[in-house]
Amino acid sequence: MELSATGKIHAIARLMRVDRPVGTLLLLWPTLAALWIAAGGLPPLGILAAFVAGTFLARSAGCVINDIADRKVDGEVRRTRDRPLPTGQVTLGEAFLVLGVLAALCLAIVLTLNVPTRWLALAGAGIAATYPFLKRWTHWPQAALGVAFSWGIPMSFSAINGSIDPVAWLLFAASFLWIIAYDTLYAMVDRDDDLIIGVKSTAILFGRADRAVIGVLQLASVALLVLLGVRAGLQDAWYFGVAVALGLFVFQQRLIRNRDRDACFKAFGNNVWVGFALLAGAVVEFGMTGIADR
């Protein structure tokens, strides 16, 4: 398919999901919350900028890897059949070139961080790169995404403190369970198509127990967030953010009561507000005072 220069730029932007920021925000909000908790307030601006930019670039790179891996099946799925690779708007070679540029930019950002965080970033990149291929072999690709999308949490603590506090692992565990829950909602949208083409997911594995399992995962995530607050000695603002997250989980359960595709997708997108509630709770809890000001 021949495109104008403007059309090609738009197609590459779609390949990178620039037009769909939900995934970036789902990755960004808990990472920023981790930075705030680790720093006890506003993180150093250089580290903050590195994580914001790195989140956007890493998520874009992950989407490109995903589309390269799925280029032969995306055309068979209603939600993905208009993506740039299956429609020919972007060639495989162009996709690899975009991936190389994104990877180089990510590396440049990582090199501004301390050495322990660089090693964590390398491990995270490996985890993220394997995720798109797991759906061929296991019903648990959502678990790999849970690790990949939560990896910014230990990286945040490492970048701020040079080590990973136990509180970081509580936030990591809460994020991990939450991500499995919301990515199962996402997989419920494609479940009928995935069964036909042989792609695996937790939505297929859980079957008619999907709503119940998602609910258990959400409640377990809330419990870990409360435990984190107790362990870190946090006050009302944090718990208010957690309470808002719980209310949003209840709303999501109501949305998916009939397992309607559009409702499941809406419930998935609603998780942006869950992440924002937790970030807001952390920011209000610790304030905007930077390390240098204390």
Side-chain angles (χ1 to χ4, degrees):
M1 176 182 293
E2 290 294 331
L3 294 177
S4 66
T6 301
K8 182 66 71 174
I9 291 171
H10 286 167
I12 290 173
R14 288 179 56 229
L15 180 72
M16 295 169 53
R17 305 294 196 277
V18 175
D19 60 326
R20 296 182 180 273
V22 169
T24 300
L25 295 176
L26 286 171
L27 179 57
L28 181 62
W29 295 151
T31 301
L32 292 183
L35 281 173
W36 243 266
I37 295 171
L42 179 68
L45 294 183
I47 293 178
L48 178 61
F51 273 85
V52 171
T55 294
F56 170 77
L57 293 169
R59 190 258 176 161
S60 295
C63 290
V64 175
I65 294 173
N66 182 80
D67 283 12
I68 290 172
D70 288 350
R71 65 190 185 278
K72 295 183 179 179
V73 298
D74 275 348
E76 307 299 320
V77 178
R78 280 170 283 179
R79 183 178 55 81
T80 61
R81 60 191 173 196
D82 293 327
R83 284 180 175 173
L85 274 173
T87 59
Q89 294 174 316
V90 174
T91 68
L92 183 59
E94 289 168 339
F96 274 112
L97 178 60
V98 171
L99 178 60
V101 172
L102 291 170
L105 292 172
C106 286
L107 177 61
I109 290 174
V110 166
L111 291 177
T112 68
L113 303 174
N114 60 30
V115 173
T117 310
R118 295 176 191 175
W119 285 110
L120 284 170
L122 180 62
I127 295 167
T130 62
Y131 160 71
F133 300 95
L134 293 178
K135 64 187 75 173
R136 277 90 171 154
W137 311 104
T138 175
H139 284 96
W140 287 96
Q142 282 69 30
L145 185 72
V147 175
F149 262 45
S150 301
W151 204 249
I153 294 170
M155 283 182 61
S156 296
F157 277 79
S158 175
I160 296 292
N161 301 321
S163 61
I164 305 173
D165 189 275
V167 168
W169 294 117
L170 283 173
L171 185 56
F172 178 91
S175 175
F176 173 75
L177 297 178
W178 169 46
I179 292 165
I180 294 177
Y182 73 59
D183 202 43
T184 300
L185 290 171
Y186 193 64
M188 288 169 69
V189 178
D190 297 335
R191 179 159 44 193
D192 293 343
D193 293 324
D194 288 347
L195 284 167
I196 293 172
I197 63 179
V199 171
K200 298 177 173 62
S201 71
T202 47
I204 293 172
L205 177 67
F206 298 156
R208 298 299 291 181
D210 48 8
R211 291 179 57 209
V213 175
I214 289 169
V216 169
L217 290 168
Q218 290 170 330
L219 289 174
S221 179
V222 168
L224 286 169
L225 292 170
V226 170
L227 180 59
L228 182 158
V230 173
R231 178 67 183 265
L234 303 184
Q235 302 299 319
D236 294 346
W238 175 254
Y239 294 112
F240 182 76
V242 174
V244 171
L246 177 60
L248 291 168
F249 287 153
V250 172
F251 173 66
Q252 291 168 25
Q253 285 288 328
R254 179 169 175 78
L255 281 175
I256 66 171
R257 63 190 183 279
N258 296 321
R259 298 180 176 86
D260 176 75
R261 286 171 55 93
D262 291 340
C264 289
F265 191 74
K266 183 177 180 181
F268 160 74
N270 181 259
N271 282 278
V272 167
W273 296 107
V274 174
F276 183 77
L278 297 178
L279 171 60
V283 170
V284 174
E285 180 75 32
F286 291 103
M288 295 294 290
T289 303
I291 291 176
D293 300 323
R294 292 193 292 274

